[in-house]
């Protein structure tokens, strides 16, 4: 019993980061306890683009085959001018690029990814999942950590080797690693909606010719992305605009006049979506301030709790999945020194996360460009062959976890 307890990994948070971490540690022989504050893991959220750097990890964990049943493998990412709807550039995806990157590029609803992860977690005998349980504090000691968990029955103490903090962008537990707890509003909001493919809005998008691809419509200070989810029966739509602080919630509302104003220079067929789609959910975009991601005593922050970033590289979920897999690999590789494992893992991940964050900033700058910058962007995209655009993403999509 003492040996199992000393190897136990305790995870705070049952989202994509936490569930992936649970599986990544469990397949390496570590017993895992996951504590999720919500009373149940509801199937909520919006669409996700899950690039090959993440799907190859999901495949290793045994999750990919189940996910593919509900996901879509789009044929391309198509960049379009939002005013003319003309195609500017195309990154090929599909089966051919699956060969290139040795893993598929998928689009899926967040609930389907979480459901696929949860199904495997529940089948894994080495993982205990407890809902309605909130991690409040941690006490390091020479044999590991003692975590204080609040449940309906009061405060319980759970001992283990380490604590993995995966409680999201509004993390209350970053302080345990010595990091600032307040995330920062980025001044932008995402207008999200999932609609049936046979709805009025779905028909309008079909008339535009979106097909089975990820389509990004670019305009000054604005872009809109749409792609199929739910095995093609639905479309995820997300528009990005500047906006006021909507609060720490993923389910805010806002007058769609703000969205229509941002879309005023887009094509009529695109502008019509603002009214055709009722019930837009407005998600404020937050980022995390710089700070430590680990503590030598046995604490590691992963996913948005460590490094929430803007979504313009479509890598939020992928980075959480990478974090989880690489953290488990580093811990296994240094059984003699958890402190050294965490230090090495953080140094390695900071380089990767920094590179991805810079790509997201570049995308936002170019996609929201106006005037001469937009003209140069459009010309550059039209001159680039699709194969060259795909090759420019090899560093991102072709990534595999390095040896610790």
């Amino acid at each position: 019993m003492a040996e199992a307890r000393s190897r136990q990994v305790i995870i705070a948070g049952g989202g994509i980061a936490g569930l992936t971490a649970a599986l990544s540690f469990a397949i390496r022989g570590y017993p895992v306890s996951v504590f999720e504050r919500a009373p149940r893991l509801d199937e909520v959220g919006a669409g996700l683009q899950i690039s090959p750097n993440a799907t190859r990890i999901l495949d290793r964990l045994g999750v990919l085959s189940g996910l593919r049943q509900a996901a879509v493998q789009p044929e391309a990412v198509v960049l379009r001018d939002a005013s003319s709807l003309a195609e500017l550039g195309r990154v090929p995806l599909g089966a051919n690029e699956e060969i290139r990157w040795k893993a598929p590029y998928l689009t899926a609803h967040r609930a389907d990814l979480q459901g696929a992860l949860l199904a495997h977690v529940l089948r894994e005998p080495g993982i205990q999942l407890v809902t309605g349980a909130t991690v409040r504090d941690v006490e390091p000691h020479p044999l590991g950590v003692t975590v204080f968990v609040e449940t309906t029955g009061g405060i319980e103490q759970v001992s283990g080797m380490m604590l993995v903090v995966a409680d999201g962008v509004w993390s209350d537990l970053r302080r345990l690693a010595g990091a600032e707890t307040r995330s920062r509003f980025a001044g932008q909001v995402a207008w999200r909606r999932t609609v049936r493919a046979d709805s009025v809005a779905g028909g309008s998008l079909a008339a535009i010719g979106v097909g089975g691809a990820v389509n990004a419509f670019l305009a000054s200070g604005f872009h809109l992305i749409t792609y199929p989810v739910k095995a093609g029966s639905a479309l995820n739509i997300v528009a990005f605009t500047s906006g006021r602080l909507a609060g720490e919630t993923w389910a805010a509302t806002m007058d769609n006049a703000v969205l229509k104003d941002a879309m005023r220079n887009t094509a009529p067929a695109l502008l019509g979506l603002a009214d055709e789609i009722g019930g837009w959910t407005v998600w404020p975009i937050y980022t995390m301030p710089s700070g430590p991601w680990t503590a030598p005593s046995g604490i590691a922050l992963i996913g948005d709790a460590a490094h929430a970033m803007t979504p313009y590289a479509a890598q939020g979920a992928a980075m959480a999945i990478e974090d989880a897999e690489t953290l488990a690999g580093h811990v296994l590789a240094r059984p003699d020194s958890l402190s050294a494992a965490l230090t090495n893992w953080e140094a390695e991940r900071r380089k990767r996360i920094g590179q991805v964050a810079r790509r997201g900033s570049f995308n936002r700058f170019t996609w929201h460009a106006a005037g001469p910058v937009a003209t140069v962007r459009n010309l550059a995209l039209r001159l680039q062959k699709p194969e060259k655009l795909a090759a420019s993403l090899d560093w991102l999509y072709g990534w595999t976890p390095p040896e610790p």
Side-chain angles (χ1 to χ4, degrees), residues 87-151:
E87 182 174 324
L88 302 173
R90 173 182 294 254
V91 180
L93 300 175
N96 287 339
E97 300 312 310
E98 181 174 352
I99 296 172
R100 177 191 191 93
W101 292 311
K102 299 180 176 59
Y105 192 114
L106 301 179
T107 55
H109 196 279
R110 179 179 290 271
D112 292 327
L113 173 56
Q114 180 157 318
L117 288 165
L118 180 60
H120 278 263
V121 163
L122 295 177
R123 289 198 295 267
E124 176 57 56
I127 301 175
Q128 177 191 35
L129 173 62
V130 183
T131 57
T134 303
V135 172
R136 293 299 185 189
D137 208 347
V138 63
E139 182 178 292
H141 50 76
L143 296 179
V145 296
T146 296
V147 175
F148 298 85
V149 183
E150 182 179 0
T151 66

Side-chain angles (χ1 to χ4, degrees), residues 248-275:
E248 293 185 351
T249 175
W250 294 132
T253 58
M254 190 181 296
D255 187 344
N256 78 343
V258 176
L259 177 60
K260 293 171 72 172
D261 182 63
M263 297 177 69
R264 62 189 180 278
N265 293 323
T266 65
L270 207 58
L271 179 59
L273 292 174
D275 288 323

Side-chain angles (χ1 to χ4, degrees), residues 349-403:
R349 289 304 294 162
R350 281 190 179 276
K351 294 178 182 177
R352 171 75 169 167
I353 295 296
Q355 190 177 16
V356 173
R358 288 190 293 274
R359 177 60 187 236
S361 297
F362 173 79
N363 284 353
R364 181 178 183 272
F365 171 74
T366 56
W367 291 8
H368 288 202
V373 176
T375 300
V376 171
R377 174 202 67 199
N378 294 353
L379 178 61
L381 285 171
R382 288 189 174 109
L383 291 176
Q384 291 229 45
K385 294 182 178 180
E387 295 77 11
K388 188 173 181 180
L389 287 174
S392 71
L393 292 166
D394 285 347
W395 68 272
L396 180 56
Y397 299 159
W399 177 92
T400 57
E403 291 295 327

Side-chain angles (χ1 to χ4, degrees), residues 93-346:
L93 300 175
N96 287 339
E97 300 312 310
E98 181 174 352
I99 296 172
R100 177 191 191 93
W101 292 311
K102 299 180 176 59
Y105 192 114
L106 301 179
T107 55
H109 196 279
R110 179 179 290 271
D112 292 327
L113 173 56
Q114 180 157 318
L117 288 165
L118 180 60
H120 278 263
V121 163
L122 295 177
R123 289 198 295 267
E124 176 57 56
I127 301 175
Q128 177 191 35
L129 173 62
V130 183
T131 57
T134 303
V135 172
R136 293 299 185 189
D137 208 347
V138 63
E139 182 178 292
H141 50 76
L143 296 179
V145 296
T146 296
V147 175
F148 298 85
V149 183
E150 182 179 0
T151 66
T152 54
I155 299 293
E156 300 179 9
Q157 297 183 24
V158 183
S159 296
M161 176 182 69
M162 66 179 295
L163 171 66
V164 179
V165 174
D167 60 343
V169 67
W170 298 309
S171 174
D172 182 51
L173 299 177
R174 282 169 50 84
R175 57 185 168 79
L176 301 180
E180 181 183 338
T181 58
R182 293 292 295 179
S183 53
R184 296 173 180 171
F185 180 56
Q188 299 115 39
V189 296
W191 301 70
R192 296 182 178 271
R193 192 74 166 92
T194 301
V195 301
R196 290 189 54 84
D198 59 3
S199 66
V200 173
S204 295
L205 288 167
I208 292 173
V210 297
V214 178
N215 282 262
F217 298 89
L218 315 183
S220 173
F222 163 86
H223 76 277
L224 180 145
I225 294 179
T226 182
Y227 49 80
V229 295
K230 295 291 182 182
S233 67
L235 294 169
N236 184 73
I237 304 168
V238 55
F240 296 92
T241 72
S242 297
R244 60 175 173 79
L245 181 63
E248 293 185 351
T249 175
W250 294 132
T253 58
M254 190 181 296
D255 187 344
N256 78 343
V258 176
L259 177 60
K260 293 171 72 172
D261 182 63
M263 297 177 69
R264 62 189 180 278
N265 293 323
T266 65
L270 207 58
L271 179 59
L273 292 174
D275 288 323
E276 289 175 1
I277 298 174
W280 288 95
T281 299
V282 182
W283 292 28
I285 297 172
Y286 282 80
T287 60
M288 275 297 182
S290 179
W293 298 350
T294 61
S297 56
I299 299 170
L301 314 179
I302 64 172
D304 283 351
H307 48 67
M309 62 181 69
T310 58
Y312 304 119
Q315 287 292 304
M319 291 302 103
I321 291 168
E322 286 187 12
D323 282 352
E325 174 69 7
T326 54
L327 177 62
H330 273 271
V331 170
L332 180 66
R334 290 301 304 269
D336 58 319
S337 177
L338 178 60
S339 175
L342 296 181
T343 297
N344 293 342
W345 172 79
E346 180 174 351

